[in-house]
Amino acid sequence: MINITFPDNSIKVFENIPTGMDVAKSISDGFARNCVAMKINEKLLDLNQTIKEDTCISFITANDDEGLEILRHSSAHVMAEAVLNIYSNAKLTIGPVVEDGFYYDIDMDPVSKDDFGAIETEMKKIIKAKNTFERKVVSRNKALEIFKDNPFKLELINELDETQEISLYQNGKFIDLCRGPHIPHTGMIKGFKLLKISGAYWRADQEREQLQRLYGISFFDKKKLNKYINMIEEAKKRDHRKLGTKLDLYSFHDEAAGMPFFHAKGIEVWNALLEYWRDEHKAAGYVETKTPVMLNRKLWEQSGHWENYRENMYTSLIDDEEYAIKPMNCPGGMLLYKTKAYSYRDLPVRAGEIGLVHRHELSGALSGLFRVRAFHQDDAHIFMTPDQIGDEVLGVLKLSKTIYSRFGLDFHLELSTRPKKSIGSDEQWEEATNGLKAALDKYGQEYFINEGDGAFYGPKIDIHIKDALGRTWQCGTVQLDMALPERFDLTYKGRDNDKHRPIMIHRVIYGSLERFFGILVEHFAGRFPLWLAPVQAILLPINQDLSEYAEKIKSELDACKIRCEVDKRSETLKKKIRDAQLNYIPMIITIGDKEKQTGTLSVRTLDGKVRMGLSMDEFISSVSHHVKERILDEKIL
């Protein structure tokens, strides 16, 4: 007899050895149809595996995030099988699940989106067949025999430890090297679509074979697929690269790949973001600092970056000494701390820096403002005593919420723990991780744990914001560090008059200003709130004779720090209004003879309202209040 314990601690007894599916069906057939996999002792397993001893079990269903990941993993197998059915000479490499779907890297002749229809048709046949996914464990020799014609699979097999179990999955005639688990059968894939294709190198090595990377998406529900496709179409309309060109905000040039150029209008938005950042940080007790963009190798060796981050750093030889352009601001922050002697009474010290950093990214990875080589981080380093950890982490989380809320952005939290490549002792990592956990528990918002995804010098809390389309972006981070203060011998005098080591927080909220800027462009679809808009008002004289008067109005608005322009083109008023609306200018001010005679303004706002006969004082007062309070609502007047 086998005793199965469920999450609610209820127990069922099975006379014969059951599979996971048998256990699921014992609850109900409807429940079983919705099950994707099972979890035993925190290990994910296929539902067709047998349970040979008493155990605790939980099920992964189509409603769970893990269930969707498993579906997409299985979808990658289906796509690979379809490709092999059409392109017999293709060689499969690896096909993982990624944040938004899945992909498979395949050694084959180049294909294009025009070929997607044939591949999707073949996938539909495989899905309709409802082929089951069967797991097989084989010897190394057997695996080498099965994949003898695929050099990529042979390479992967030969790298496995001699004692390591080799598992394969077969659905229909298709077989692949895989850990699993998989959905019970291909018919569970209800909605799928191939999205794009790109080039990739085997093992990300430019010296190795160039592959075709096919991306796809899949769901348990076709309605969710349609919703996703609609979101993708909306995202295309909001593409920050296109909107940046349309609104004259920034541009990209081959002469400085991955290093964006900001135009005058883009700088207006940039400065508004920085002014807001400075206001909130000053109110939260931060001081602002600045450190050099280039420092010598000795410093980077001391910080650990030379050993752990060298491949991403740009270097130069100066006076026969090797220097590196900073990829991070923290080592400079260490040197600033050491310029003074601190007492426990002086702590915490909160020092912010808008630091320009450079990181080498492969050219194929560059993507508008989202993936660049030169960017500004809104860094801050907080130096504190051990008993201040909780309050300081909470302070950062509360400040993050204040700032994100100003843009209408929600967020969720993730705790990332020690990676394989790291510095510091086990004791330091345990203390730092427990400190972050305690602060998160006190903050009271649900959080997720990412095992092994911390920074090399400490665990971190990652803050993932959600934009208007429901997409998530990791922007803010709170990293607790005990290693760098030790490496740089940072100290403070304690109550006992002895020297003690401060604890340090690295944190960003915008993250990369460039990336955050791009996110906001897409979040607002270029239609910025008044306080962020590069041009807040445009003056439209109805004829050339009124241009001089319009310039006089502009001077008064300029004096009140209201960003405005005069459209003197010889176009019709209707076209000027239409152009201003297409450029998302929040306030369109029409200047006619009546407005000049009465000294009033006629204002059209983006919410479609028109206010006539406004006095200049009334207009300036309303607009100034709206901007000062950084209000999101389009209702201005």
Side-chain angles (χ1 to χ4, degrees):
M1 292 196 307
I2 304 295
N3 295 306
I4 303 293
T5 304
F6 295 95
D8 63 357
N9 291 322
S10 63
I11 298 173
K12 279 192 177 182
V13 180
F14 291 80
E15 295 292 337
N16 300 313
I17 294 174
T19 64
M21 182 59 79
D22 292 333
V23 178
K25 285 181 176 179
S26 76
I27 298 172
S28 79
D29 287 341
F31 177 76
R33 284 193 296 271
N34 199 41
C35 283
V36 179
M38 61 180 170
K39 188 177 284 187
I40 294 177
N41 297 326
E42 296 305 308
K43 184 177 181 181
L44 281 171
L45 299 170
D46 299 290
L47 288 173
N48 60 11
Q49 291 196 42
T50 55
I51 304 170
K52 298 179 179 180
E53 58 185 24
D54 295 352
T55 192
C56 296
I57 191 171
S58 61
F59 289 97
I60 307 300
T61 73
N63 301 319
D64 299 319
D65 290 341
E66 285 177 301
L68 188 58
E69 285 186 18
I70 293 168
L71 178 88
R72 289 174 176 173
H73 183 188
S74 300
S75 301
H77 280 230
V78 170
M79 180 177 72
E81 180 181 2
V83 169
L84 288 184
N85 288 348
I86 299 171
Y87 307 94
S88 57
N89 293 326
K91 296 285 188 294
L92 303 178
T93 65
I94 57 171
V97 174
V98 288
E99 186 175 355
D100 282 319
F102 58 88
Y103 71 79
Y104 216 116
D105 283 347
I106 306 173
D107 184 18
M108 61 188 297
D109 291 334
V111 294
S112 70
K113 284 191 174 182
D114 293 338
D115 301 300
F116 283 2
I119 298 172
E120 288 176 342
T121 298
E122 192 65 26
M123 288 177 70
K124 287 176 183 176
K125 294 178 184 177
I126 298 166
I127 291 168
K128 188 176 181 180
K130 294 187 177 181
N131 293 325
T132 57
F133 285 87
E134 297 180 24
R135 185 175 188 267
K136 300 179 180 182
V137 177
V138 299
S139 66
R140 175 183 295 272
N141 288 338
K142 182 64 174 176
L144 292 172
E145 172 63 24
I146 291 171
F147 295 103
K148 63 183 179 182
D149 296 324
N150 187 322
F152 305 100
K153 300 293 184 183
L154 293 179
E155 184 176 326
L156 294 172
I157 294 166
N158 285 319
E159 288 176 355
L160 295 174
D161 188 273
E162 289 288 344
T163 61
Q164 208 165 339
E165 179 180 87
I166 299 177
S167 61
L168 314 174
Y169 275 83
Q170 183 167 356
N171 53 288
K173 295 180 180 179
F174 177 73
I175 192 165
D176 203 1
L177 192 67
C178 182
R179 292 193 187 95
H182 282 280
I183 55 179
H185 60 82
T186 58
M188 293 189 80
I189 305 169
K190 299 300 183 183
F192 72 92
K193 186 173 180 59
L194 300 189
L195 298 176
K196 61 180 179 178
I197 189 164
S198 67
Y201 291 103
W202 174 234
R203 296 291 179 82
D205 185 346
Q206 296 184 45
E207 302 299 318
R208 300 295 303 272
E209 296 87 345
Q210 187 164 7
L211 311 169
Q212 300 289 301
R213 176 170 291 180
L214 273 70
Y215 288 89
I217 190 76
S218 61
F219 294 91
F220 289 103
D221 183 343
K222 196 165 186 178
K223 289 180 181 178
K224 291 183 178 179
L225 172 67
N226 292 335
K227 183 179 178 181
Y228 179 85
I229 292 171
N230 290 336
M231 186 271 286
I232 291 294
E233 292 304 313
E234 179 61 27
K236 288 179 182 177
K237 297 175 188 174
R238 295 171 179 245
D239 188 322
H240 74 280
R241 290 163 295 191
K242 294 179 180 177
L243 285 173
T245 299
K246 173 186 172 181
L247 302 178
D248 194 21
L249 301 175
Y250 41 75
S251 57
F252 307 94
H253 303 272
D254 292 340
E255 290 81 357
M259 303 178 189
F261 289 65
F262 283 87
H263 302 187
K265 289 179 181 176
I267 286 296
E268 294 288 4
V269 182
W270 181 276
N271 287 339
L273 289 171
L274 284 186
E275 183 181 359
Y276 174 54
W277 184 92
R278 290 186 168 114
D279 286 350
E280 291 294 351
H281 281 74
K282 188 172 183 179
Y286 287 76
V287 296
E288 187 174 352
T289 59
K290 190 176 189 301
T291 60
V293 75
M294 181 179 278
L295 301 110
N296 67 20
R297 174 175 174 170
K298 183 179 177 182
L299 179 79
W300 299 113
E301 288 176 336
Q302 186 177 2
S303 69
H305 286 86
W306 198 265
E307 177 185 356
N308 292 280
Y309 208 76
R310 171 68 185 83
E311 65 273 15
N312 297 100
M313 297 166 68
Y314 295 104
T315 61
S316 182
L317 202 63
I318 302 174
D319 295 334
D320 298 323
E321 188 174 0
E322 201 162 9
Y323 278 69
I325 299 175
K326 64 180 179 181
M328 300 174 186
N329 298 303
C330 29
M334 306 296 109
L335 298 184
L336 278 181
Y337 181 91
K338 289 185 69 118
T339 60
K340 290 178 65 177
Y342 290 95
S343 158
Y344 70 92
R345 296 186 185 88
D346 302 316
L347 303 184
V349 171
R350 306 183 189 106
E353 176 179 7
I354 305 295
L356 174 60
V357 300
H358 292 71
R359 298 179 187 176
H360 176 63
E361 299 280 359
L362 295 174
S363 59
L366 301 177
S367 177
L369 295 178
F370 290 162
R371 198 69 175 268
V372 293
R373 288 172 171 163
F375 58 96
H376 295 75
Q377 282 190 308
D378 65 318
D379 250 325
H381 300 110
I382 303 173
F383 303 92
M384 60 201 167
T385 62
D387 62 327
Q388 293 172 333
I389 292 175
D391 287 343
E392 290 306 305
V393 173
L394 278 173
V396 174
L397 293 175
K398 289 176 181 177
L399 179 59
S400 300
K401 183 173 184 178
T402 296
I403 289 176
Y404 293 142
S405 297
R406 185 63 64 189
F407 303 99
L409 297 165
D410 292 326
F411 63 86
H412 74 264
L413 302 169
E414 297 183 4
L415 174 62
S416 299
T417 58
R418 186 175 192 173
K420 291 180 180 179
K421 194 175 183 181
S422 60
I423 59 177
S425 67
D426 292 342
E427 293 76 14
Q428 288 174 328
W429 274 88
E430 184 176 0
E431 185 177 353
T433 303
N434 289 338
L436 290 182
K437 281 183 177 177
L440 282 168
D441 291 339
K442 190 173 181 180
Y443 186 65
Q445 182 171 325
E446 182 184 6
Y447 63 92
F448 306 95
I449 295 181
N450 280 336
E451 295 291 349
D453 202 35
F456 73 84
Y457 48 76
K460 60 177 180 171
I461 298 170
D462 287 327
I463 307 173
H464 295 254
I465 60 175
K466 181 184 285 188
D467 69 10
L469 294 181
R471 299 173 299 179
T472 57
W473 310 84
Q474 195 270 304
C475 289
T477 186
V478 188
Q479 302 172 359
L480 203 54
D481 185 358
M482 298 179 181
L484 282 184
E486 186 169 324
R487 282 183 171 237
F488 282 86
D489 192 27
L490 305 187
T491 62
Y492 67 90
K493 186 180 287 188
R495 295 175 186 273
D496 55 5
N497 284 325
D498 286 339
K499 285 186 176 181
H500 296 269
R501 192 78 69 206
I503 309 296
M504 180 182 173
I505 287 176
H506 308 251
R507 49 112 292 195
V508 293
I509 296 177
Y510 288 159
S512 154
L513 264 74
E514 284 79 356
R515 184 166 175 267
F516 193 73
F517 193 133
I519 290 169
L520 290 182
V521 170
E522 298 197 1
H523 174 61
F524 292 118
R527 191 167 168 151
F528 291 110
L530 183 65
W531 71 275
L532 269 181
V535 179
Q536 295 169 326
I538 190 160
L539 295 150
L540 306 182
I542 64 171
N543 58 54
Q544 294 299 317
D545 294 339
L546 291 166
S547 294
E548 186 176 339
Y549 179 69
E551 288 289 351
K552 177 177 177 294
I553 298 297
K554 180 182 183 304
S555 296
E556 293 183 47
L557 297 180
D558 285 341
C560 296
K561 297 185 177 178
I562 296 172
R563 300 187 287 273
C564 60
E565 293 180 347
V566 177
D567 186 346
K568 299 179 182 178
R569 296 177 302 160
S570 59
E571 302 285 355
T572 64
L573 181 61
K574 185 176 180 180
K575 177 168 174 47
K576 288 182 180 181
I577 291 172
R578 179 61 178 156
D579 288 346
Q581 290 173 329
L582 289 174
N583 286 317
Y584 307 122
I585 297 175
M587 299 180 295
I588 303 169
I589 303 173
T590 306
I591 305 292
D593 292 327
K594 181 181 178 180
E595 283 75 22
K596 182 178 180 180
Q597 291 167 7
T598 59
T600 60
L601 301 175
S602 176
V603 185
R604 182 191 302 266
T605 51
L606 276 179
D607 60 2
K609 303 286 178 60
V610 178
R611 292 287 304 275
M612 304 182 73
L614 278 173
S615 70
M616 182 68 82
D617 288 344
E618 184 182 359
F619 175 77
I620 290 173
S621 175
S622 293
V623 170
S624 297
H625 170 75
H626 208 281
V627 171
K628 182 182 177 182
E629 298 300 322
R630 298 182 173 98
I631 296 170
L632 277 179
D633 193 346
E634 286 187 345
K635 186 178 180 182
I636 301 167
L637 303 171

